[in-house]
Amino acid sequence: MASKNTSSQVAIGMRVKTGRATAIVVAGPPSSPIVVARKNLQLFDPAIPESHQPYHAELELPPEESARAVPRALAAVRQCSIAALRDLLDEVRAAGHSVVAIALVAGSGADPESIRNPHMRAHAREGQLFPRALADASTALGIRAAIVVEATTFADCAAALKKSEDSLKRQLAELGRAVGKPWSSEEKSATAAALTALAR
């Protein structure tokens, strides 16, 4: 985890996927931000394999086994999420920063129960499970959190910063050059979410 030795208010943006999250910590002001840290978070327990994809386990296991395994897996997701977030917050605060907000980027906001295909529905349910687990963890740790949808992340950020999406993307590219590779689409969307949270 990289960090600068400057005290500041920061926001954390995370692109959340099944079992993991890419976290970017951004210090303001939003008009001239810097990335002070980035980290990958693991949100499942390897000792409980079903916790990586709990709703797939629900489909694949015999009913009696599923009835035992899935609640245990969901509890593990909650426990891993709060532990991972607490560790990140501890590191950020140890570097002298104050976290004012967390923004969680999910793949979709669609209602999983509207999906007829069981396998796709399981994917959608897991796509909402992990952001919600992190949002609950954030609330438990006393920090406001918002879940945003990836498809609108850049537009929302551009609007919050009162600039065009092209200008925002150039700014994100510049931040990536300062941070160094890798600078993936996940890191860019996490950064945009953090910038939006800082601007609000």
Side-chain angles (χ1 to χ4, degrees), residues 38-115:
R38 59 178 167 177
K39 187 174 184 179
N40 293 319
L41 307 185
Q42 181 173 295
L43 307 177
F44 71 98
D45 184 349
I48 303 174
E50 295 85 3
S51 65
H52 185 247
Q53 291 184 303
Y55 295 116
H56 278 72
E58 187 175 53
L59 288 178
E60 295 161 3
L61 295 174
E64 288 186 6
E65 188 176 347
S66 172
R68 292 190 301 271
V70 173
R72 183 167 174 250
L74 294 173
V77 169
R78 291 190 291 271
Q79 292 164 2
C80 290
S81 295
I82 198 165
L85 182 57
R86 184 185 288 113
D87 287 348
L88 175 60
L89 292 174
D90 286 347
E91 291 181 36
V92 171
R93 289 165 176 159
H97 305 298
S98 173
V99 180
V100 296
I102 294 174
L104 306 163
V105 183
S108 172
D111 177 8
E113 305 315 310
S114 68
I115 300 172

Side-chain angles (χ1 to χ4, degrees), residues 118-170:
H119 185 76
M120 296 306 296
R121 185 166 59 249
H123 275 296
R125 292 176 77 188
E126 288 156 0
Q128 292 191 355
L129 168 65
F130 291 94
R132 286 178 177 168
L134 281 169
D136 290 344
S138 181
T139 298
L141 294 170
I143 300 174
R144 63 184 174 94
I147 299 176
V148 299
V149 177
E150 185 177 39
T152 62
T153 301
F154 295 113
D156 291 346
C157 184
L161 299 180
K162 297 180 172 58
K163 59 171 57 183
S164 69
E165 286 191 53
D166 285 343
S167 176
L168 170 64
K169 288 175 181 178
R170 287 193 294 271

